[in-house]
Amino acid sequence: MSDIIQLLPDHVANQIAAGEVVQRPASVVKELLENAIDAGSTNIKLLLKDAGKTLIQVIDNGKGMSTTDARMSFERHATSKIQKAEDLFNLNTKGFRGEALASIAAIAHVELKTKQDSEELGTCIKIEGSKIVSQDFISTSKGTSIAVKNLFYNIPARRNFLKSDTVETRHIIDEFQRVALAHPNIAFLMHHNDNEVYHLKSSNLRKRIVSVFGTKMNEKLVPINEQTDIVGIEGFVAKPEFSKRKRGEQFFFVNDRFIKSSYLNHAVVNAFDGLLEQGSHPSYFLYLTVPANTIDINIHPTKTEIKFDNEKALYAMLRATVKHSLGQYNVAPVLDFNRDANLDTPYHFNSKPKSTATPRISVDPDFNPFKEEANKEIHTPFKREEPKTESWESLYTSVADTEEEKQSELFDNQQEIKTQKTFQIQRKYLLSSIKSGVVLINQSLAHQRILYEDFLESITVKEANSQQLLFPVKISYTSAEIEMIYTIKTELENAGFSFDEFTKDSVTIKGIPVSVTESKITIILEELLSDIDLEVPDANYSHFDVMAKSFAKTLSIKTGTQLSEREQEGLVNDLFSCKEPNVSPFGKPTFKTLTLNEIDNLFNS
């Protein structure tokens, strides 16, 4: 039998490695930005076209490369950042695997321009699919410029798996923010399709956070600072009243490297115990500094997961530090052990003077203890008012009558399947009888389905009605959010929104859909931006669909809302007029039916 195991050609091996290193344009952005930082750059520019699919270019003013280094940088496992295995446990740089440039060059057209300060001329190398097309000496400034064009040009299947430009841009912005927040001392510039998205000057940590997330962030921040032998912790947490429904602005950095850690996140959330509403998540920007030999950052290809030597100690210190800062800045209540608890005022006490009602005593002037009927019945000169039972009796009567009505409706088979009188249960469900039994409807999910189909029809079929605002509403956003809103501006206008002005940090709205109230504008747009991050499959209708789902979720009747009989009946009728009444826009059942046989079995078991 002939041998069947063979060594893979270099270009195939590089494409396989690229599958691990480069999942999408954001992966390329991350690798190139980190290389620029490791080169000692103080000014870095990121230029994008078509969400990175057409062009990703990073220009830095770092130390540059020699001609030999420029050529070697595209070889597999070529790196200047480690020499031996032990170096993996004492890392102070970003990229060190030595596969980034080789993997990128295998699936794109790459042009590298680089020059060291001591050299008169620089080097320009052009590569297409791992093949070097040209190498020349050029006149260029100190530093390095890498342009990655036509990503996945030779792997169309991978290119087809990319999402819409809006989603891919969001991923790029996420990576850019992580790098920019980790290095406030470096100036960053980001352009997308010739539009400036970020222009970040070299600054301190607080100013960098405010520059990235908008001026309103400044008032939300509570400083954190603690230095111990094991770990140094600094940064900021947002005040509890600015918590969010989504896990968005949560950043951990360890030795200037962004990481994800559910364990450390739990420590921060624990520190906010009792301060957050149910379902809310705190925002934080926390920077941990630990000895390099106490962490292992080579356990995941993207290097966003880290293994700590002493996780439990870090958890305790982080939780205590955050809790202390919240108390120190009067955000959280602090125990005072010198206080006399006996002098505390009950929470329900009102400082205003209160008048105490005097007990009423009525005397019977005709009372005579020597009358004969006194022997038959015990009398007292004081009359006590007997409790009135009329209301109790009427209560039981109404319940009995209601039960009779329910039973008569339950077994009424005179009509076809049609909604009858409805009953609201726990302000969450609607119960209605049908010919075959009863139907139990989730009021919130049912209303989501109704609104979803209405919005989708308004956006795609009808000409949406818009109501003009008497006073235009100006809403502040981050540069990234402004970019996202601008990309779906046409779809929003089709839905009934009308915009007056776009700036770098705000949007002015002068018209909204008829079904939307002015107080809901901010909530709707925030939910919409979050939903776009969920990577809806790319299709011609994707933005419309996401928008309709987001609007329906935000504006739907919530659990706990009391509905009148008319509102209940309207909701039921509207639901069963929908094209797909049985499921919500998110695939959850809107109602469940219980047949008479199933009801009978409940009592026969």
Side-chain angles (χ1 to χ4, degrees), residues 273-299:
D273 188 30
L275 300 175
L276 299 177
E277 294 182 7
Q278 186 70 25
S280 296
H281 303 280
S283 298
Y284 54 78
F285 309 85
L286 295 172
Y287 297 72
L288 281 63
T289 304
V290 299
N293 59 359
T294 64
I295 57 174
D296 183 1
I297 59 178
N298 198 29
I299 62 174

Side-chain angles (χ1 to χ4, degrees), residues 38-286:
D38 285 340
S41 307
T42 59
N43 198 307
I44 300 174
K45 297 177 183 177
L46 172 62
L47 309 178
L48 303 166
K49 284 189 178 178
D50 303 325
K53 298 172 185 176
T54 302
L55 172 68
I56 300 172
Q57 185 173 9
V58 172
I59 306 169
D60 67 59
N61 64 345
K63 58 188 177 184
M65 291 181 283
S66 66
T67 302
T68 303
D69 285 343
R71 184 71 176 259
M72 282 292 294
S73 66
F74 290 99
E75 298 294 329
R76 290 191 67 199
H77 309 302
T79 180
S80 63
K81 298 163 188 178
I82 59 173
Q83 276 77 43
K84 53 186 184 296
E86 288 76 10
D87 292 342
L88 289 171
F89 301 96
N90 192 27
L91 286 167
N92 295 299
T93 56
K94 305 292 182 185
F96 54 84
R97 294 167 65 90
E99 295 182 23
L101 291 183
S103 298
I104 293 169
I107 55 175
H109 298 157
V110 179
E111 182 180 77
L112 168 69
K113 296 178 182 178
T114 186
K115 175 182 170 297
Q116 293 179 319
D117 197 26
S118 58
E119 300 292 331
E120 291 186 6
L121 293 175
T123 302
C124 176
I125 298 178
K126 294 182 180 180
I127 300 179
E128 295 180 1
S130 295
K131 296 180 181 179
I132 296 180
V133 177
S134 65
Q135 179 174 338
D136 302 298
F137 290 103
I138 60 167
S139 176
T140 184
S141 57
K142 173 205 167 188
T144 301
S145 168
I146 299 184
V148 179
K149 303 175 183 178
N150 307 319
L151 192 64
F152 298 126
Y153 81 98
N154 53 354
I155 314 179
R158 287 293 300 277
R159 191 176 180 89
N160 291 338
F161 273 104
L162 295 178
K163 309 297 181 182
S164 66
D165 284 2
T166 306
V167 173
E168 294 300 340
T169 301
R170 178 71 254 181
H171 282 284
I172 291 174
I173 288 174
D174 285 343
E175 293 294 351
F176 179 87
Q177 288 178 348
R178 293 166 183 174
V179 174
L181 289 171
H183 301 277
N185 58 315
I186 299 177
F188 288 92
L189 182 69
M190 175 179 170
H191 279 241
H192 183 217
N193 293 338
D194 297 325
N195 293 322
E196 184 181 285
V197 181
Y198 285 107
H199 190 171
L200 308 175
K201 298 179 180 179
S202 175
S203 60
N204 58 34
L205 185 54
R206 189 182 193 110
K207 288 182 178 178
R208 175 55 54 89
I209 294 172
V210 171
S211 297
V212 171
F213 292 101
T215 54
K216 285 195 172 183
M217 178 61 73
N218 192 39
E219 63 181 283
K220 304 177 184 179
L221 300 178
V222 175
I224 304 288
N225 199 323
E226 187 67 40
Q227 302 297 325
T228 69
D229 294 336
I230 299 176
V231 61
I233 305 173
E234 64 175 327
F236 300 89
V237 296
K239 298 173 183 177
E241 59 264 33
F242 298 107
S243 60
K244 297 197 169 184
R245 294 292 178 183
K246 305 281 184 181
R247 290 187 178 93
E249 296 161 1
Q250 296 185 339
F251 295 87
F252 275 118
F253 299 92
V254 175
N255 294 357
D256 294 334
R257 182 190 298 276
F258 171 81
I259 69 158
K260 297 177 181 178
S261 173
S262 56
Y263 186 68
L264 295 182
N265 175 72
H266 189 272
V268 176
V269 172
N270 211 331
F272 277 84
D273 188 30
L275 300 175
L276 299 177
E277 294 182 7
Q278 186 70 25
S280 296
H281 303 280
S283 298
Y284 54 78
F285 309 85
L286 295 172

Side-chain angles (χ1 to χ4, degrees), residues 585-603:
F586 304 95
K588 296 181 180 180
T590 57
F591 66 89
K592 292 286 185 180
T593 56
L594 199 61
T595 65
L596 291 178
N597 289 335
E598 290 173 329
I599 295 173
D600 290 338
N601 290 335
L602 293 176
F603 298 95

Side-chain angles (χ1 to χ4, degrees), residues 153 225 304 498 518:
Y153 81 98
N225 199 323
T304 56
S498 177
E518 186 174 336

Side-chain angles (χ1 to χ4, degrees), residues 335-380:
L335 290 175
D336 182 0
F337 293 100
N338 296 320
R339 187 187 72 240
D340 185 354
N342 294 322
L343 299 178
D344 285 354
T345 303
Y347 288 117
H348 60 270
F349 180 77
N350 192 335
S351 59
K352 295 181 180 179
K354 296 182 178 181
S355 58
T356 305
T358 305
R360 295 189 340 180
I361 301 177
S362 45
V363 180
D364 183 3
D366 298 326
F367 173 69
N368 186 348
F370 301 103
K371 286 186 178 180
E372 292 184 2
E373 57 264 34
N375 298 326
K376 299 178 183 178
E377 187 178 348
I378 298 176
H379 283 267
T380 173

Side-chain angles (χ1 to χ4, degrees), residues 444-453 545 548-553 556 580 582-590:
S444 181
L445 297 180
H447 199 216
Q448 285 182 19
R449 164 53 61 179
I450 296 166
L451 292 177
Y452 169 71
E453 292 196 5
D545 190 59
K549 286 179 178 177
S550 186
F551 287 175
K553 180 175 61 176
S556 62
E580 296 183 30
N582 57 325
V583 292
S584 76
F586 304 95
K588 296 181 180 180
T590 57

